[in-house]
Amino acid sequence: MATTPQQLNASTESLPLQDRVAIVTGSSRGIGRQLALHLSSLGAKLVINYSSSNSSPADSLAADINAGSLPPRAIVVRADISDQAQVQSLFDSAERAFDSPVHILVNTAGVLDSTYPSVANTTIESFDHVFAVNAREYWYYWASLQKRGGGGRIILFSSSQVAALRPGFAAYTAAKAAVEAMTKILAKELKGTGITANCVAPGPIATELFFGGRTEEQVKKIIDESPLGRLGETKDVAPLVGFLASDAGEWVNGQIIRINGGYV
């Protein structure tokens, strides 16, 4: 039976994030890519952010989201989120493209030192770079999210390493611990705005970032330590973020949610 225009309209209107503008940083690959696809499936308009010189993965993702959609529902914006001016440009680009304030910010951009140095062997350069990308975000831009269509949502990403406290991750874990602390404070400082701030802290997820610098033996050891006997996948994380971004997630605020299959 053919779908009627009325059924199509009803289906569109029922999407929980219909026409809300979402920025997903670091969304050209890994967890961020899956989150962008999932939020799009829930009706959101996407700003796909990347920082490298290679735009191909981000462009490909936007093409997938925009296939058969006029006007486009995804744009690509290059920006280094550790740079204040580029963060401002990211928000400005989103508002110009969609003629709307940003409703949802998901920050998945992150780096770690894939040599996994001890505290004593962590260089100043490595420490500063890890903190610049993972922790030195520009909170007052995020706090500018306006309550619209159910309220603003800030969803930051930490790591279950903050609970595991494993050697070789000192700078990375310290940066993510800072994100967790600031998330709780930010949620309180946003009182009265209708904006929520939460932090998602995945365990080992099968991404390029996870596999970097690890041997097959090390990967197998991590799998063996998981109660579910596998690495997490990006699709394991996406539904949680979709929930937090929706009206249904409004009462979850100022929380750190560890999603790791029982690894920690």
Side-chain angles (χ1 to χ4, degrees), residues 39-115:
L39 295 180
S40 174
S41 76
L42 299 179
K45 297 178 178 179
L46 266 296
V47 178
I48 299 165
N49 161 251
Y50 73 103
S51 61
S52 71
S53 59
N54 180 14
S55 67
S56 295
D59 291 336
S60 174
L61 174 58
D64 288 344
I65 292 174
N66 288 328
S69 177
L70 287 176
R73 299 188 62 82
I75 64 168
V76 173
V77 180
R78 182 182 182 185
D80 179 350
I81 66 163
S82 67
D83 182 279
Q84 180 177 359
Q86 292 187 49
V87 170
Q88 178 68 70
S89 177
L90 180 63
F91 275 77
D92 290 345
S93 296
E95 295 183 6
R96 282 196 304 269
F98 298 117
D99 192 25
S100 168
V102 176
H103 306 99
I104 301 159
L105 175 72
V106 184
N107 179 36
T108 69
V111 296
L112 57 75
D113 187 335
S114 60
T115 66

Side-chain angles (χ1 to χ4, degrees), residues 104 144 209:
I104 301 159
S144 72
L209 183 66

Side-chain angles (χ1 to χ4, degrees), residues 4-225:
T4 67
Q6 291 78 9
Q7 289 173 318
L8 282 173
N9 289 336
S11 174
T12 298
E13 291 171 1
S14 68
L15 293 174
L17 301 181
Q18 186 61 40
D19 291 336
R20 298 183 193 180
V21 177
I23 294 176
V24 182
T25 69
S27 50
S28 65
R29 61 179 184 170
I31 294 175
R33 185 181 193 281
Q34 186 67 43
L35 298 186
L37 288 169
H38 184 66
L39 295 180
S40 174
S41 76
L42 299 179
K45 297 178 178 179
L46 266 296
V47 178
I48 299 165
N49 161 251
Y50 73 103
S51 61
S52 71
S53 59
N54 180 14
S55 67
S56 295
D59 291 336
S60 174
L61 174 58
D64 288 344
I65 292 174
N66 288 328
S69 177
L70 287 176
R73 299 188 62 82
I75 64 168
V76 173
V77 180
R78 182 182 182 185
D80 179 350
I81 66 163
S82 67
D83 182 279
Q84 180 177 359
Q86 292 187 49
V87 170
Q88 178 68 70
S89 177
L90 180 63
F91 275 77
D92 290 345
S93 296
E95 295 183 6
R96 282 196 304 269
F98 298 117
D99 192 25
S100 168
V102 176
H103 306 99
I104 301 159
L105 175 72
V106 184
N107 179 36
T108 69
V111 296
L112 57 75
D113 187 335
S114 60
T115 66
Y116 305 105
S118 65
V119 173
N121 291 326
T122 300
T123 67
I124 292 295
E125 292 77 16
S126 175
F127 184 90
D128 286 347
H129 180 57
V130 167
F131 261 79
V133 175
N134 292 322
R136 199 182 70 192
E137 291 99 359
Y138 291 88
W139 298 87
Y140 59 92
Y141 288 133
W142 298 354
S144 72
L145 292 175
Q146 299 178 35
K147 182 174 183 180
R148 175 172 171 173
R153 301 287 184 262
I154 298 173
I155 304 167
L156 309 181
F157 266 69
S158 175
S159 168
S160 286
Q161 287 290 349
V162 177
L165 298 173
R166 295 184 182 273
F169 293 87
Y172 178 77
T173 301
K176 292 301 188 181
V179 171
E180 293 188 6
M182 289 189 283
T183 298
K184 290 179 175 290
I185 293 170
L186 182 61
K188 294 176 181 178
E189 291 181 346
L190 289 171
K191 179 179 179 180
T193 67
I195 301 168
T196 65
N198 290 290
C199 190
V200 175
I205 303 291
T207 63
E208 182 181 336
L209 183 66
F210 169 79
F211 288 115
R214 286 190 170 98
T215 65
E216 288 186 18
E217 182 179 357
Q218 289 170 328
V219 171
K220 183 178 184 303
K221 184 176 184 295
I222 292 171
I223 292 172
D224 289 342
E225 291 173 347

